[in-house]
Amino acid sequence: MHLVEQWHRIESELPEGWSSARVALEVPDGGRLDRAAALLSPANPGRGPGELRFSVAPDGGAAGPQAVNRLLRRIEGEGIRGTLRLVDTVSAPEPQAAPTTSAAAGWAASLRTLPLDWS
């Protein structure tokens, strides 16, 4: 299976609300690992024995999904074969509820905590 197809499969299986994912690209031809790293350099990959790891994030915190698609096409275009695997994912935190007190009420509550002779 081509790298782009592998990426599409991984992307389709990411959990709802994912905020980032770490992906590993295993390159069996060690002589091509340096070239794959150079082509993947916009994603700032880390390097391990026989593999490159990089992060993907839809919000701009890392390479976006479309950018990863383009980078993997370039790697394929150079005839570099490999296997992609999902290392881990992080889900977006739940949004926090906005405070329900007004600024004036918050100010009044803060003033009540001060001693009477605070000035």
Side-chain angles (χ1 to χ4, degrees), residues 2-33:
H2 294 285
L3 293 174
V4 172
E5 291 170 354
Q6 293 176 52
W7 167 240
H8 288 292
R9 181 184 48 80
I10 289 170
E11 188 177 18
S12 71
E13 294 173 357
L14 289 171
E16 184 75 26
W18 68 283
S19 64
S20 69
R22 283 193 314 149
V23 179
L25 169 60
E26 298 171 2
V27 179
D29 181 357
R32 303 295 308 237
L33 192 61

Side-chain angles (χ1 to χ4, degrees), residues 50 97 111 114 119:
L111 287 178
L114 296 174
S119 59

Side-chain angles (χ1 to χ4, degrees), residues 106-119:
W107 180 257
S110 294
L111 287 178
R112 284 193 297 274
T113 64
L114 296 174
L116 295 176
D117 61 346
W118 68 275
S119 59

